[in-house]
Amino acid sequence: MQNMCSQAAIADIALFTEQQSDVIEMVARRYPMRVTPYYLGLIREPGDPIYRQCIPAKEELTDASGQPDPLKEDDHSPVSRLHHRYPDRVLLVATNNCAMYCRFCTRKRNISDRTTAITNEELAMVVKYLHDHEEVHDVLISGGDPLTLPLDRLEKIIGAVRSIPHIDIVRIGTRIPCVDPERITEELCTMLKKYHPLYINVQFNSPAEITPRSQRACSMLADAGIQLGNQSVLLKGVNDSPEVMKELVRKLLGMRVKPYYLFIPDMVKGTSHFRTSLETGLQIIHSIQGWMSGMATPQLVIDMENGGGKVPLSPGYMINKEDGKYTFRNFENRIYEYTDFQPCRNPA
C-alpha cells in the first residue's frame, strides 16, 4: 500500500462494504480524503472513534449549519500565510498539507487547495511583518501539518522565526505523532533541539490512538527537551464521555504529554455530526477536576464564531457572593464558604 490511503484504495480493504465505499467516494469528491496506513490500521469496526475521525461520512454533505471559515482567520491575515488575531502571538500556516485529513478540521475549506508549502517570498513577507511588530512574542507554526515538510524546509522556517530577537516562544502544531509516528526520527529531533525554547502541541482525541508507536514518537520528542501539550477536540462518538476522557488524559501524562486544551468543535460547515453540547464538555471537566491530578485537567475552550477568539469555560464552582463572602461548591458537591481578604484600617 502506498504511503497515504485514498478513497480508491478503501475499496480493496475488507473492512468496508460496497455501500460504505460508495459513500466515501461521493463525499471525498467535495471534501478529499487522506489517511495513513498506520492510522487506518487502528480501526476495529466501522463507526468506532478512529473510523469517525478519518473516514468520510454522508453527514458532511447534508450539514446546513456552520461556515467555511467560522473563526474568520482570513480576516486577520495581514500578509499571506500569517494570522494575527491575538495581541502578542501569531499563527504561521507553513503548509496546507497534512498526513491525514481529519473529518472535523477547522480548515476543512482548504483541504482541496493544491497550494502546499509556504514559498520563500511568502516567508520573507512574514519575517518582515514580525520584525515590524515587536509586540509579537509567540509564533505558532501550524498548517496543515508542518512536520509533513522536508526537514531542511522545516528548519528554514523555524530558523527564520527564531532569528527575530523579540520572538520568545516558538510552537509547532502537529498530529504526526498520532497519525504517522514513524515520521518522528532522531534526525528530526536533533534539528528541533537547536531552536529551544520550543513547544509542540499534538492532538490525541481517543485512548485508542495511544499505541506503543505513538508513545515512542512522543518519548523521542520529550527526550529532545521539547515540552509537549495535547489539544483535543470534543467529538461526538469519539471522546464525549467522562470515562473516555479520563482514560485519555491519564495515558497522555504517562507519555509526558500535558493535557492542554479541550476544544468545543468549531462551527465548520460539514462537521455538525461531531458536535456536542457545552454542558457535555463542562461535565467532563467536572469529572476530572479534583478527581485527578491538576496536571490531567485540560482547559475547556470555545473558539467563538465570527472571529471572537478563544473563551475558556469552567464548571460553576462559585454559587454565591455577598458582602465579601463567597460560597463555593467543591468537586464533591459539598458547600464551603470563603471570606475575602479585607485590608486593616487605621483607627480614626
Side-chain angles (χ1 to χ4, degrees), residues 8-302:
I10 291 297
D12 300 326
I13 301 174
L15 178 68
F16 299 93
T17 66
E18 183 177 350
Q19 183 179 11
Q20 288 166 331
S21 296
D22 289 344
V23 169
I24 291 167
E25 183 176 357
M26 177 179 63
V27 177
R29 291 194 193 105
R30 181 169 180 183
Y31 298 119
M33 173 188 177
R34 173 178 287 182
V35 55
T36 62
Y38 163 80
Y39 197 81
L40 195 70
L42 300 181
I43 296 174
R44 292 297 170 260
E45 61 183 9
D48 73 12
I50 303 298
Y51 182 103
R52 285 180 63 81
Q53 293 184 70
C54 68
I55 303 299
K58 61 183 180 182
E59 290 86 354
E60 295 180 44
L61 299 182
T62 58
D63 179 11
S65 64
Q67 305 178 51
D69 182 18
L71 307 186
K72 302 302 179 188
E73 289 183 322
D74 294 340
D75 292 350
H76 297 96
S77 183
V79 297
S80 179
R81 298 283 182 171
L82 199 71
H83 301 306
H84 192 174
R85 173 64 184 85
Y86 300 97
D88 74 331
R89 54 201 183 276
V90 297
L91 169 70
L92 170 56
V93 180
T95 178
N96 296 337
N97 188 50
C98 283
M100 183 178 90
Y101 294 151
C102 301
R103 308 316 301 176
F104 51 88
C105 182
T106 294
R107 301 188 182 103
K108 200 175 180 81
R109 67 190 186 278
N110 291 336
I111 286 178
S112 59
D113 188 347
R114 299 309 176 192
T115 304
T116 53
I118 186 172
T119 66
N120 289 335
E121 293 76 16
E122 288 172 328
L123 182 58
M125 287 191 295
V126 166
V127 169
K128 182 181 185 306
Y129 181 87
L130 294 177
H131 269 294
D132 292 342
H133 289 264
E134 295 188 7
E135 74 276 17
V136 176
H137 300 286
D138 180 346
V139 176
L140 170 59
I141 302 173
S142 186
D145 197 314
L147 298 194
T148 62
L149 292 170
L151 191 63
D152 58 345
R153 188 63 184 164
L154 177 61
E155 182 167 15
K156 181 171 184 176
I157 295 168
I158 297 173
V161 172
R162 176 54 75 206
S163 69
I164 300 168
H166 56 270
I167 300 300
D168 303 318
I169 297 171
V170 177
R171 294 181 287 156
I172 295 174
T174 181
R175 280 211 87 185
I176 288 296
C178 176
V179 304
D180 198 7
E182 305 305 323
R183 281 182 180 259
I184 305 300
T185 63
E186 291 294 346
E187 186 180 14
L188 171 65
C189 292
T190 298
M191 182 275 285
L192 294 174
K193 284 170 66 174
K194 296 189 291 186
Y195 298 99
H196 283 308
L198 186 67
Y199 300 78
I200 288 183
N201 292 328
V202 296
Q203 185 185 138
F204 289 85
N205 295 316
S206 167
E209 294 171 328
I210 298 180
T211 69
R213 289 164 70 178
S214 62
Q215 288 173 322
R216 179 176 179 273
C218 289
S219 292
M220 291 174 67
L221 292 169
D223 287 344
I226 297 168
Q227 295 196 39
L228 300 173
N230 187 68
Q231 299 189 153
S232 293
V233 183
L234 182 60
L235 301 169
K236 185 177 181 180
V238 174
N239 56 17
D240 58 332
S241 75
E243 294 74 24
V244 170
M245 191 59 68
K246 287 193 283 188
E247 181 184 357
L248 174 61
V249 297
R250 186 177 293 112
K251 287 186 173 181
L252 287 168
L253 289 177
M255 60 181 190
R256 292 181 283 173
V257 178
K258 169 71 174 71
Y260 176 37
Y261 277 151
L262 173 59
F263 279 104
I264 299 296
D266 294 329
M267 294 291 290
V268 178
K269 190 172 184 61
T271 66
S272 64
H273 55 296
F274 284 109
R275 294 185 202 130
T276 67
S277 66
L278 293 184
E279 189 59 35
T280 298
L282 291 168
Q283 289 173 354
I284 287 173
I285 297 300
H286 184 73
S287 75
I288 298 173
Q289 229 161 22
W291 300 102
M292 300 180 70
S293 163
M295 292 193 303
T297 309
Q299 173 70 68
L300 182 65
V301 169
I302 180 169

